[in-house]
Amino acid sequence: MLYQLHEMQRAFLRPLVAFSDAGSQLFSSPYSPLAYMPMSRQLAAGYELMHRIGKEYQKPAWGLPETEIDGKPVRVVEAVAVDKPFCRLVHFQRDARLVAKRKDPRVLLVAPLSGHHATLLRDTVRALLPAHDVYVTDWVDARMVPLSAGPFHLDDYVTYIQEFIRELGPDVHVISVCQPTVPVLAAISLLASANDPMQPRSMVMMGGPIDPRESPTQVNRLATTKSYDWFESQLIHAVPPAYPGAGRKVYPGFLQHAGFMAMNPDRHLKSHYEFYLDLLRGDDSDAEAHRRFYDEYNAVLDMPAEFYLDTIRVVFQESRLPEGTWEIGGQLVRPADIRKTALLTVEGELDDISGQGQTRAAIKLCSGIPAARKTHYTATGAGHYGIFSGRRWRELICPKIAAFIRAS
């Protein structure tokens, strides 16, 4: 019922959102006489702020039409390499004529299925493109997946990753950011246990809950202080009839977004107030930076209920990966079986999502990897988003990952 009420609210707000957008243009456009009235800038700023708070945010475009290699612009084309019901494997194809002789490493970048779209990793992809052949898991909004596609569990996520690794071949290097560090480690562990020839060359684990018992954060405490039944009864809802996935049980994106905002309400209020002031001052660059950030941050997707509830139980409440009790298809997940794949773990010093030591725990779990082929890096001054986006990512972390991949 909550999902239906949310849809009714959105329908009710649409005329107001359209009106506020028109009002903003009316008092700011240089072609409108009202833009030259007293208080026009204040009115335009107020209308735009109202519009952005109330509008619906769609999945942003990747917006990566080109990259730069050896100082020259190179065209980039998005192509779907594998199309599955719950995920598309997107290949960022660079101009073959210019990169054919380079033999750049092939990278599988596994994006989180945790509320935001894969485009949240746009800056990650942008920094990798000049020297890597990049593939990204682009997860599908569960409300757009028909019931006929069946359920999607955490074990299915692991199977997807294995299929993508096999698709890209044994020379692939796997980078996982945040939530997928756990299923990626499971997928590679199972490949190693079976002595599969498609085991990747290396794996990079970034800011993920490999062992959420280490330095627990607010996210970890929420997952462990509430019962499994509470999550199922309070957060899981059916997709309404307006969508292809009507009837599918999901953790709705709008609830996830409310949780994101509730973690740092003061920060978001301050950001919106500063945006209003930037509009008054005519500071277009800062205002545009605010728009870009919240266009991405406010665009959320629904998660399959089975996957979300499995993650709560398996990853956070029972810590099955570090405890050595996780079974998939009757096979025990044993990271110690990994021997051929090199490992790099990356954490942010100020990460408030995955605390210090949670990702580094993979170093100990992967005891079969020789010490010379596994290492850890803590990014000083970096928060959670800072390890895959922004200046520290571009200038410090990405070069370390690139060097590690080539050494592997």
Side-chain angles (χ1 to χ4, degrees):
M1 187 62 184
L2 183 63
Y3 210 138
Q4 284 80 357
L5 290 174
H6 173 72
E7 290 298 303
M8 289 174 60
Q9 180 191 47
R10 284 173 53 168
F12 175 77
L13 286 175
R14 282 185 189 119
L16 178 62
V17 169
F19 172 77
S20 58
D21 186 34
S24 174
Q25 298 297 323
L26 197 60
F27 287 100
S28 63
S29 171
Y31 302 105
S32 170
L34 296 182
Y36 303 96
M37 292 176 55
M39 301 290 292
S40 61
R41 181 167 289 183
Q42 288 87 339
L43 289 168
Y47 275 127
E48 182 171 355
L49 183 60
M50 185 188 306
H51 171 70
R52 294 192 61 81
I53 290 175
K55 68 175 288 192
E56 300 173 28
Y57 288 84
Q58 304 299 322
K59 178 186 176 182
W62 281 99
L64 298 171
E66 68 176 27
T67 186
E68 186 176 293
I69 299 177
D70 297 330
K72 299 178 182 178
V74 175
R75 183 168 174 259
V76 176
V77 176
E78 295 173 34
V80 178
V82 180
D83 194 357
K84 298 181 71 65
F86 290 90
C87 186
R88 290 182 291 267
L89 184 63
V90 176
H91 182 202
F92 289 89
Q93 296 177 337
R94 303 170 300 169
D95 192 325
R97 296 169 300 174
L98 298 177
V99 302
K101 297 180 180 180
R102 292 175 53 87
K103 296 182 179 180
D104 287 333
R106 180 173 294 176
V107 168
L108 170 59
L109 178 61
V110 185
L113 176 53
S114 57
H116 290 109
H117 293 276
T119 50
L120 192 68
L121 301 187
R122 183 182 296 100
D123 205 29
T124 319
V125 175
R126 182 184 290 112
L128 289 170
L129 272 175
H132 305 85
D133 186 17
V134 182
Y135 292 75
V136 181
T137 57
D138 195 357
W139 299 101
V140 178
D141 191 331
R143 67 185 175 188
M144 305 305 292
V145 183
L147 276 173
S148 58
F152 186 76
H153 289 269
L154 178 59
D155 291 3
D156 296 315
Y157 191 120
V158 174
T159 301
Y160 269 37
I161 300 305
Q162 289 180 317
E163 291 181 25
F164 295 153
I165 290 173
R166 291 190 178 103
E167 174 72 21
L168 300 181
D171 290 333
V172 70
H173 303 264
V174 183
I175 301 175
S176 54
V177 180
C178 190
Q179 166 267 321
T181 54
V182 174
V184 165
L185 184 54
I188 296 173
S189 297
L190 293 174
L191 291 175
S193 297
N195 198 25
D196 195 301
M198 292 299 180
Q199 297 173 60
R201 288 285 185 93
S202 74
M203 54 183 174
V204 180
M205 307 281 174
M206 303 176 64
I210 300 295
D211 189 345
R213 299 169 300 182
E214 297 284 341
S215 306
T217 64
Q218 184 178 347
V219 174
N220 307 135
R221 285 189 286 270
L222 174 64
T224 54
T225 54
K226 300 290 187 181
S227 69
Y228 178 90
D229 291 340
W230 182 90
F231 285 100
E232 187 172 24
S233 63
Q234 299 298 314
L235 302 182
I236 303 304
H237 300 273
V239 176
Y243 299 98
R248 178 178 294 282
K249 293 295 184 66
V250 297
Y251 178 21
F254 67 86
L255 284 181
Q256 299 172 59
H257 183 260
F260 300 152
M261 301 295 283
M263 288 181 64
N264 294 289
D266 294 342
R267 182 187 303 173
H268 293 293
L269 285 172
K270 181 181 178 182
S271 179
H272 283 79
Y273 179 64
E274 289 177 347
F275 171 65
Y276 175 78
L277 295 180
D278 289 336
L279 293 175
L280 292 184
R281 292 190 292 260
D283 193 339
D284 294 336
S285 60
D286 284 352
E288 184 57 30
H290 175 96
R291 293 187 190 101
R292 285 197 304 270
F293 176 81
Y294 280 99
D295 282 350
E296 195 77 57
Y297 191 82
N298 292 339
V300 289
L301 51 74
D302 294 354
M303 279 195 280
E306 310 85 16
F307 167 78
Y308 176 70
L309 293 173
D310 285 350
T311 300
I312 291 295
R313 173 174 283 167
V314 172
V315 178
F316 294 102
Q317 294 187 344
E318 298 179 1
S319 302
R320 291 187 191 177
L321 180 59
E323 286 286 344
T325 58
W326 190 7
E327 289 189 9
I328 298 178
Q331 187 175 1
L332 196 64
V333 175
R334 296 191 299 261
D337 289 348
I338 303 174
R339 292 179 174 83
K340 298 179 180 179
T341 304
L343 169 64
L344 168 64
T345 57
V346 178
E347 294 179 343
E349 179 190 22
L350 307 178
D351 195 332
D352 59 352
I353 304 296
S354 294
Q356 287 284 300
Q358 292 189 15
T359 313
R360 188 169 50 211
I363 298 285
K364 183 178 180 180
L365 291 175
C366 297
S367 56
I369 302 176
R373 302 194 68 226
K374 57 184 178 181
T375 187
H376 173 76
Y377 174 67
T378 297
T380 304
H384 186 70
Y385 292 100
I387 62 176
F388 61 85
S389 179
R391 180 179 58 81
R392 288 185 178 85
W393 154 249
R394 293 189 298 270
E395 297 178 2
L396 300 175
I397 301 171
C398 187
K400 287 186 179 294
I401 290 175
F404 169 78
I405 285 175
R406 278 166 171 72
S408 303

